[in-house]
Amino acid sequence: MGGEQSRTNGGAGTTNTIPPGVTTLRPTLQKRFAKGIQYNMKVIIKGDRNVGKTCLFERLQGKPFKAEYNPTQEIQVACIQWNYKATDDVVKVEIWDIVDKGKTKKREGLKLDSEEPAPTLDAEFIDVYKGTSGVIMMLDITKYWTYEYVQRELSKVPQNIPIILMASHRDMEEKRSVLTEDVQSFLKELNRPAQAAAVYYMEASMQDGFGLKYLYRFFNVPYLELQRQTLIAQLRRNEEDLEAIKVELDIHGKSEEQDYDKFKDVLERKRKGLPVAGGLCTVSAGANETAEVQKSDVDGTTMSLRSRLSQQVLEQAPLPSPTALQNSDSDANRKRIDDFVPEGKLDNSFLSSSQATPHSSPLPSPKPARKNINDIQLSDSSGEGVCYCNA
C-alpha cells in the first residue's frame, strides 16, 4: 500500500491505515506519556550573528547539516525529545533560537505616513530569560568578535540559570583565532557568587555532530535544577498546609463538637423528636407537621426562619368556632344561579355605546364593615349597654 502500515483493532476488527513517515509509539512510551508532562524546560541558544545558532537548532531536532548560511529574521521555537536517564518523567524541552535584533517586517497593503512598522519577535521585543532553565552561549573559534560578544553578554544572564559556552566550528582548527586557554581563563575570572549556577565550556562541530552528546548530558543540569525548585516549592506548600491543619485541629479540639456530653444530649433529643440545640434539627408542629434541617450559626442557637414565622402565624391567627364553620357550610346560605337572573327579559343595553338606561339595575350597596370583636358592646336584660369587651 505504498509503504503505508496497517493496524487492526482487536475488538472491532477494523483496520486503521497509518500514513507513511508516522510510526506508532512503543508500549513503554505510551505508558510514559499517559501520565502527562511533569516538567517544561526552556533552553535558549544565544550568540552573535553567523556562529551557527540555527544550525544547532536544527541539529537538535534531528535534521541534517546545512552548509549554506541563511540569516534568521526572528526568534524560532521548537520542542525536542529528551528524558533524564531511565526515569518515566516526561520532560518537554523547548529550544529557542534567539535573534538579538530582527529585521523589520514590511506591512502588506496600503502604506500610510503615520503607520508604525510591524514589531519583530526578537530579544528587544520580549524577555528571553523569563522562564529559562538553561542557556547555550555560542561562539565561533574562527571569528574573534564572536568571543567578544560572549564576554559582553555573559554577565547579563541571570545567575540562577546554568550556562554552557559552546565553541563551534571545531572542524576548522586551522583557522582558529580563539584559543581554548583564553576562554577557560576568562571563565575562571568571572566574579560569580558561590550560590550562582555553574558555567561549563565545550567545543563542537555541527558538520560531523561532534559535541552533541555532551550537550545532551548538559541538559541534566537545568532539569535537576528545575526539579529541585519544584520540590522546594512543594515542600513549602506542604509546610504551610501542615501548619494550617495544626491550627484547625486546635480549634476543633476546643469546640462543642468534641464535647461528649453535648453529643449524647443531641442524640437523645433527636431520638425523642425534640429540637436540637445548635440548629442541627428543628421540628415545628402545626396543621402540617414539617421538619427542616439547617446549619447552626456560630453561637449554635439559631432557629429556622421558616419555622419561627409559621409558629408566629399559628399563635396569632384565631381559629374559627365550629358553629361558624357549620353555618358557612349550610345549604341555606348557599345561593343558586337562578337568584342572579332577573325576572323577564335580560337587558342588553350594556352592549351599546350609549349611557346606562333608567332600567339598568342599580349597583348593590356596600356591606357594612365587619366589627372587631374587641369593639362589640355587651348589654344586659334591660337592653342598656353596660360595658365594652377588651381582649
Side-chain angles (χ1 to χ4, degrees):
M1 299 177 61
E4 296 183 352
Q5 301 177 4
S6 298
R7 181 178 58 188
T8 303
N9 295 335
T14 59
T15 302
N16 298 330
T17 302
I18 302 176
V22 179
T23 58
T24 58
L25 290 176
R26 297 191 301 271
T28 56
L29 292 178
Q30 291 180 6
K31 181 180 178 181
R32 180 184 303 174
F33 283 102
K35 300 192 305 181
I37 297 175
Q38 282 77 36
Y39 300 96
N40 187 2
M41 191 169 68
K42 172 184 174 183
V43 179
I44 66 173
I45 306 174
K46 276 189 66 69
D48 209 340
R49 64 186 185 277
N50 199 11
V51 294
K53 299 190 299 295
T54 304
C55 186
L56 174 62
F57 177 75
E58 294 181 352
R59 291 288 278 175
L60 290 176
Q61 300 178 60
K63 298 181 181 179
F65 172 76
K66 295 182 180 179
E68 62 273 10
Y69 171 70
N70 294 318
T72 305
Q73 305 299 333
E74 61 181 2
I75 295 176
Q76 303 180 93
V77 181
C79 296
I80 65 172
Q81 295 181 0
W82 181 87
N83 63 293
Y84 174 68
K85 295 183 178 180
T87 60
D88 292 335
D89 293 339
V90 179
V91 183
K92 178 184 177 183
V93 182
E94 293 182 356
I95 305 296
W96 289 44
D97 182 9
I98 304 300
V99 177
D100 293 336
K101 180 64 176 178
K103 187 177 180 180
T104 305
K105 296 181 180 180
K106 296 182 179 180
R107 294 184 181 272
E108 299 180 358
L110 183 62
K111 296 182 179 180
L112 301 177
D113 297 337
S114 60
E115 186 177 12
E116 297 181 357
T120 305
L121 189 62
D122 53 17
E124 295 182 354
F125 184 74
I126 61 174
D127 183 9
V128 296
Y129 294 113
K130 183 177 180 180
T132 300
S133 303
V135 176
I136 304 174
M137 191 73 68
M138 293 188 66
L139 63 90
D140 187 351
I141 62 174
T142 64
K143 302 179 180 66
Y144 192 82
W145 48 269
T146 60
Y147 174 57
E148 294 175 347
Y149 173 89
V150 171
Q151 292 175 331
R152 294 192 308 267
E153 295 293 328
L154 200 60
S155 59
K156 299 179 182 179
V157 180
Q159 296 181 354
N160 63 323
I161 301 178
I163 305 172
I164 184 167
L165 183 57
M166 176 184 287
S168 63
H169 295 80
R170 183 64 178 81
D171 55 298
M172 302 175 67
E173 180 66 23
E174 65 279 3
K175 297 182 181 180
R176 175 190 285 269
S177 60
V178 180
L179 300 179
T180 304
E181 294 78 7
D182 295 341
V183 179
Q184 292 177 349
S185 61
F186 166 71
L187 296 179
K188 291 180 180 180
E189 294 174 359
L190 287 177
N191 296 325
R192 294 173 66 88
Q195 64 272 16
V199 180
Y200 302 88
Y201 174 74
M202 64 169 294
E203 295 183 352
S205 173
M206 297 298 103
Q207 183 175 0
D208 48 20
F210 172 74
L212 291 179
K213 289 185 178 180
Y214 185 86
L215 182 61
Y216 270 90
R217 292 188 179 95
F218 166 75
F219 287 165
N220 296 328
V221 177
Y223 165 73
L224 293 176
E225 182 66 24
L226 178 63
Q227 187 184 53
R228 188 179 70 87
Q229 295 176 2
T230 304
L231 293 176
I232 291 175
Q234 292 178 355
L235 289 175
R236 188 181 300 111
R237 289 194 298 268
N238 180 271
E239 293 177 358
E240 294 175 356
D241 294 342
L242 183 59
E243 293 297 329
I245 290 297
K246 290 180 180 179
V247 174
E248 184 178 352
L249 290 176
D250 292 340
I251 294 175
H252 282 277
K254 300 176 182 179
S255 63
E256 296 181 355
E257 295 181 358
Q258 295 301 113
D259 193 340
Y260 183 74
D261 296 334
K262 293 184 178 181
F263 175 75
K264 293 290 294 183
D265 181 66
V266 169
L267 293 181
E268 185 67 20
R269 296 179 69 88
K270 290 176 66 176
R271 185 181 65 82
K272 295 180 180 180
L274 299 177
V276 178
L280 297 177
C281 180
T282 58
V283 181
S284 60
N288 296 323
E289 295 183 356
T290 59
E292 60 182 26
V293 179
Q294 176 184 343
K295 293 183 179 179
S296 60
D297 290 340
V298 179
D299 55 358
T301 59
T302 303
M303 293 180 59
S304 173
L305 179 61
R306 185 183 303 174
S307 62
R308 286 187 290 175
L309 291 177
S310 60
Q311 185 176 359
Q312 293 176 4
V313 171
L314 291 175
E315 292 175 357
Q316 296 177 3
L319 296 177
S321 61
T323 307
L325 293 175
Q326 183 177 1
N327 294 336
S328 62
D329 296 335
S330 61
D331 295 336
N333 295 333
R334 295 180 181 176
K335 293 183 179 293
R336 298 176 301 172
I337 191 171
D338 297 336
D339 297 337
F340 294 94
V341 181
E343 297 180 359
K345 187 177 181 182
L346 293 174
D347 187 8
N348 298 330
S349 59
F350 66 91
L351 298 177
S352 61
S353 60
S354 60
Q355 298 182 354
T357 61
H359 300 285
S360 301
S361 59
L363 295 175
S365 60
K367 296 182 179 180
R370 181 180 296 177
K371 294 183 178 181
N372 192 351
I373 190 173
N374 300 330
D375 298 333
I376 297 177
Q377 183 178 6
L378 300 179
S379 61
D380 57 355
S381 58
S382 60
E384 296 180 359
V386 292
C387 66
Y388 287 89
C389 179
N390 294 324

